[in-house]
Amino acid sequence: MESPIKIAVAGAGFGRKVALPAYTELDEFEPVALWSRRPERAQALADEAGVALGSSDLEEVLAFPGLEAVHVATPVVTHVQFALAAAERGLHVLCEKPLAGNLHEARRIAAAVQAAGVVGMVDYEVRMKETRRRLIEHAREVVGTPRMASVSLVQSDHADPDSRPYTWVHDARMGGGRLQGYGVHDLDLLLEVFPTVEAVVAATDVGVPVRTSAEGDLHPVTADDAYALVLRFSGGGLGVVTLVATARHDRGDVIELYGDEGTAKLDADRRVWWGRRGEELRCEGPFDDGFDEAFKRVARNFWAAVRTGASPEPSLEEGLRVQAVFDAARVADVERRWVRPEPSRSSPDRRARSTSPSSVKYVVANWKMYPTVGEALGLFEAIQDGLSAQARAGHALPMPIICPPFVALVPIRGVVDERLVRLGAQNCHWEHKGPYTGEISAVMLKGMVDYVLVGHSERRLVGETDEHVARKVSAVVEAGLVPIVFVGEDAPTGEGIRQSEERLRQRLSQVELADHTVLVVYEPAWAIGAAHPAEPEHVREAVEHLKESLRRLGAARPEVLYGGSVRRDNVERFAALEVLDGVGATRGSLDAEEFLDIVSWMAGNGPAAS
């Protein structure tokens, strides 16, 4: 046998309880490090597991001598930080499911793994259970095209407030919930047999609204413990996926797949039934249904992909496929309508992808109070058409985030193609609701945008303080959105960068950066609207300082953009800064052709017209 893979496990939940013991038992692996968010627990848990290093410092873990791979088993919303940090160091990545907090982040993981030339996999281990493996095999043989598919799970492990202690899986902000815990496995199974979903509608519920933590405190539960999904398959046929985790009496999983050619079923006693039309159903089982052996199959596949070049299974492509349907289901739940999943890759027309770091950079357009609704809609459509043309020409694209005035969000939301561009809001209030005339909360923006600008220096003109900004950042992450936080000094003095770092610390004081994605824009007030932006060398130094501050605050992969008079005629200088994760523009974004040039420069393609 080839030598074992030296692997680190990030996460003290599933990672420590299931993955780490499995790696210890398997000859194919040598677990060498464990990451845990709490420093005081990290080394103690590592010692308990017989692992050399336990740390809350991701950089220390990734720098372990001889490390080859990382298993990411942190809260879902942090997967992108850990996976990108590992891939950028040339480490192979096995990521827990779902692949990321949303499809955009999942695509970033896949692109980073591809660019690094390493192996990437997603842990859909439930399909590796013997029951489901046999069901999938027989379904492919006999079912044909779908007519009706159903997956029904009934569990009792969450029936009471103290039946399961409160953890991140009960917090919607962290990507928790049974839909992400179990539902994605069932979507994975259905997509293995019927790979194309045309549309989905969904509903979720919280049956037990409070839970007791391990410390004995009561916490409100915001993540679902029951769900129902209806899928419409392309070409015909329906699928129904349901779970209740708060039943008083549980039952084994029941899966029934009916097609035009035959039937395949899994009953509650772990027996598999199958047959073609005109035949009596045959039966085999009952089978072992253990998680541990199923995970070991995934781990061995990971080893084979790394050591022998075998095809990864489950692959990141399969993870993206599930992510697209999962994201559509979450939108459908919020908006109470049928939702068509996005193509799992960035664009069906995109024939080429850049493997350079610039392919995942951001370009943020803050339109402030400039365009009317009609002007904003026309400008947006012109930009989106231009992005589509660049994609069809085979150009890689960064992630444009357009932040129109509030009144333009609804019409623009109706025409946005999220394969090409994402929407952001320019501000929000720190309260979820209340007697605040003229204000909009982050909760109201959920389902409308993915990002919210917070703390722009112009907000200080209406009395906004760093304390207000900190509360807004907290409200945005609580709503499951990504804050784009502005920091910068007031004057170009020697103390300016330190002022920006202090502002950053205050504005992020109410969030755990290890648990959330936050984008930071370095935008010195003296450069806003100025004839000349900050010099690239000054920007590089400021961004490096801010990234180091973010690491000290717990960010696994700090991301910092530059904003301040970015235009078509100067963006090339900023695109050349490898330390920079993107740029923000206002006047440079109010003309479609100029903004498309900025986007193209940030993708490493030169001006769009060339």
Side-chain angles (χ1 to χ4, degrees), residues 350-361 363 386-400 420 568 571-576 595-610:
R350 188 170 298 181
R351 298 191 296 270
R353 291 190 59 85
S354 168
T355 57
S356 70
S358 64
S359 64
V360 295
K361 288 188 175 179
V363 181
L387 294 170
S388 180
Q390 290 187 31
R392 288 196 304 273
H395 295 165
L397 296 177
M399 176 51 64
L420 299 169
R568 169 194 277 153
V571 66
E572 181 181 4
R573 297 190 297 164
F574 300 112
F595 185 68
L596 291 169
D597 269 354
I598 292 172
V599 169
S600 187
W601 272 114
M602 292 308 296
N605 301 322
S610 65

Side-chain angles (χ1 to χ4, degrees), residues 162-180:
D162 56 356
S163 57
R164 290 286 293 269
Y166 180 89
T167 67
W168 72 265
V169 300
H170 303 109
D171 186 345
R173 298 173 301 172
M174 303 296 290
R178 297 297 81 195
L179 183 57
Q180 71 80 24

